[in-house]
Amino acid sequence: MIRPMFGGQRKPKKFDLTFRYYDPEKDEREKRRRRIKFQTNNRVKPKQFVRIVFFAVLLSFVVYLMTIL
């Protein structure tokens, strides 16, 4: 903002393009090396299970207290 006041002009950003060529042989070699990795994600983690059970017991206790009073 201050530079244009003193006669400086904005210059376009420099762009350097490195060309990459497709090599089918190299691609085929990389495909052979790659292995399929399976990730198994448990739907309910142990900590979540404990938390759910805790809240269920707490809720049932609150409902029990409400029925007594």
Side-chain angles (χ1 to χ4, degrees), residues 1 3 10 22 27 30 38 42 48-49 55 64 68-69:
M1 187 168 174
R3 279 189 169 183
R10 289 188 175 187
Y22 176 69
D27 189 40
E30 288 181 3
F38 294 101
N42 295 333
Q48 286 178 333
F49 180 72
F55 284 122
Y64 176 72
I68 292 175
L69 299 176

Side-chain angles (χ1 to χ4, degrees), residues 16-62:
D16 185 24
L17 176 65
T18 56
F19 292 102
R20 297 180 184 172
Y21 296 99
Y22 176 69
D23 186 11
E25 293 176 2
K26 184 178 178 185
D27 189 40
E28 191 64 34
R29 280 183 270 144
E30 288 181 3
K31 281 184 182 178
R32 288 181 192 158
R33 277 191 243 160
R34 281 188 240 147
R35 292 184 180 176
I36 298 173
K37 296 179 181 176
F38 294 101
Q39 275 188 334
T40 56
N41 295 329
N42 295 333
R43 289 184 183 176
V44 178
K45 296 179 182 176
K47 291 181 182 177
Q48 286 178 333
F49 180 72
V50 171
R51 191 178 304 156
I52 290 170
V53 170
F54 174 72
F55 284 122
V57 169
L58 185 65
L59 181 65
S60 62
F61 183 69
V62 169

